[in-house]
Amino acid sequence: MNSATGRSHDEAWVELLDSHRPPHSEGDWASPSMWLLLQAAVADPLLSSLYPWKGMNTLSVCTSDAWRDFGTEGFPGVAAGSGVYSVIAHPVAEGRVVLETDDPAVAVEVMAREVQSRLVRRTM
C-alpha cells in the first residue's frame, strides 16, 4: 500500500482497467487499443507490481503512487493509437520511439524489459 494515496498497486490497476472497460463509444478512437494494452500490461508480472499512470493515451508505470515521483522514475511508456503501439523512451517525447508494433503484448514486453533494466541499474 502506498502511503501517499492509501491504495495498493493492485487497486490502482483495477481502477484504471475499470475506467477503460468496453463498450467504447464510436468517437473514442484510442479506447479499444488502450484496453488491449492495459490487459497485456496487467498480465505482466513486473508491470503489474508497479503503479500505472495514463496520460495522453500513454501508459507508464511508477514505483510510487505519488504524482511527484512519476516524472523522476525514468521508465518508458507505451502510446496506444488506433491499432498501433509505440514504446517511447523516457522522457516521453516526440522522436523517442523505441519500437512501433500492432501487437500490444510485444509493446508490453519491450516496456517491461526497459523498466527492469532501469530498476537493476538503480541497485548497482
Side-chain angles (χ1 to χ4, degrees):
M1 177 128 4
N2 189 283
S3 61
T5 62
R7 69 180 182 168
S8 69
H9 53 81
D10 290 332
E11 292 168 323
W13 278 104
V14 167
E15 287 176 25
L16 187 58
L17 285 164
D18 284 348
S19 70
H20 288 79
R21 196 170 305 283
H24 300 111
S25 65
E26 183 70 29
D28 200 359
W29 64 272
S31 286
S33 294
M34 181 56 72
W35 174 247
L36 295 173
L37 176 62
L38 291 174
Q39 288 181 301
V42 77
D44 181 272
L46 175 60
L47 299 184
S48 65
S49 72
L50 300 169
Y51 286 90
W53 289 93
K54 186 199 150 261
M56 297 178 60
N57 292 320
T58 300
L59 173 67
S60 299
V61 293
C62 186
T63 59
S64 167
D65 200 20
W67 178 251
R68 66 177 167 15
D69 296 335
F70 173 69
T72 63
E73 294 274 289
F75 295 141
V78 177
S82 185
V84 176
Y85 301 91
S86 302
V87 181
I88 306 170
H90 184 81
V92 175
E94 190 174 329
R96 305 220 6 129
V97 174
V98 175
L99 169 81
E100 283 193 341
T101 179
D102 61 355
D103 187 341
V106 170
V108 163
E109 181 181 322
V110 172
M111 178 184 180
R113 189 171 49 239
E114 290 296 316
V115 168
Q116 179 65 38
S117 174
R118 288 189 181 269
L119 287 171
V120 166
R121 278 187 258 155
R122 279 189 197 173
T123 62
M124 298 176 116

